[in-house]
Amino acid sequence: SQQGEEDPQALSIQEGENATMNCSYKTSINNLQWYRQNSGRGLVHLILIRSNEREKHSGRLRVTLDTSKKSSSLLITASRAADTASYFCATDGNTDKLIFGTGTRLQVFP
Amino acid sequence: GAGVSQSPSNKVTEKGKDVELRCDPISGHTALYWYRQSLGQGLEFLIYFQGNSAPDKSGLPSDRFSAERTGGSVSTLTIQRTQQEDSAVYLCASSLSGVHEQYFGPGTRLTVT
């Protein structure tokens, strides 16, 4: 399976702290994407990193990619209560469709 | 439209009945996906449409599930003879192509009683 696996499954932090989530995958990829989901409904795209990129930033988000280890991390700096959500990585596995991981549930306490 | 829409937003049905779930993708998006998500779980891939190519049905869990996409736009996911284990949120997404950013609809919450 080319499914990504997120780690940890759940994470609880205080507002202002940083949150780090990891994703591991099994096959080579063209790109890896991170998504956020609130309240079990539709997902929202956060960031896409290509296989030839090592790091990418978007606001308080920082994504790294290590293709040799087949892993990626998502860092949310200075977290806010509004960041509480589930976060998923998705990989294309050199195919034309995305496969999503199992997700990390992040809880940020005020 | 402005985004991906799905209908109905909620559906309660009796075991054994058939249901149809609808997805309206973003205009111009050639790729359309259906996923299923059980409570507290990740996304389970069901089916993928890309342009005029034959759909990738590899994720459909049984022959009770089928989907079609008419005119390269609207898609309908049909579940025949529903079972309680079919209860989940069914999510639709579209994208410019298979490996681009996906835009998700709000989902249909299906409850089979």
Side-chain angles (χ1 to χ4, degrees), chain A residues 4-40:
Chain A
E5 296 287 338
E6 282 91 339
D7 167 57
Q9 290 187 334
L11 179 62
S12 296
I13 59 174
Q14 296 289 326
E15 260 191 334
E17 294 180 339
N18 296 340
T20 300
M21 289 159 270
N22 303 296
C23 168
S24 59
Y25 55 92
K26 298 179 181 179
T27 67
S28 61
I29 60 172
N30 290 313
N31 68 65
L32 183 145
Q33 303 182 34
W34 284 91
Y35 288 77
R36 165 193 167 126
Q37 183 181 38
N38 289 83
S39 305

Side-chain angles (χ1 to χ4, degrees), chain B residues 39-93:
Chain B
L39 186 64
Q41 301 299 309
L43 274 71
E44 177 187 3
F45 166 77
L46 296 178
I47 189 169
Y48 162 52
F49 296 90
Q50 173 60 60
N52 296 321
S53 302
D56 179 344
K57 304 179 182 180
S58 60
L60 295 179
S62 77
D63 58 8
R64 296 187 295 105
F65 288 73
S66 63
E68 61 179 25
R69 188 178 185 190
T70 54
S73 182
V74 172
S75 177
T76 301
L77 177 69
T78 301
I79 309 173
Q80 296 178 310
R81 305 180 302 281
T82 53
Q83 304 293 313
Q84 287 187 329
E85 61 263 29
D86 299 335
S87 296
V89 174
Y90 289 81
L91 293 162
C92 173

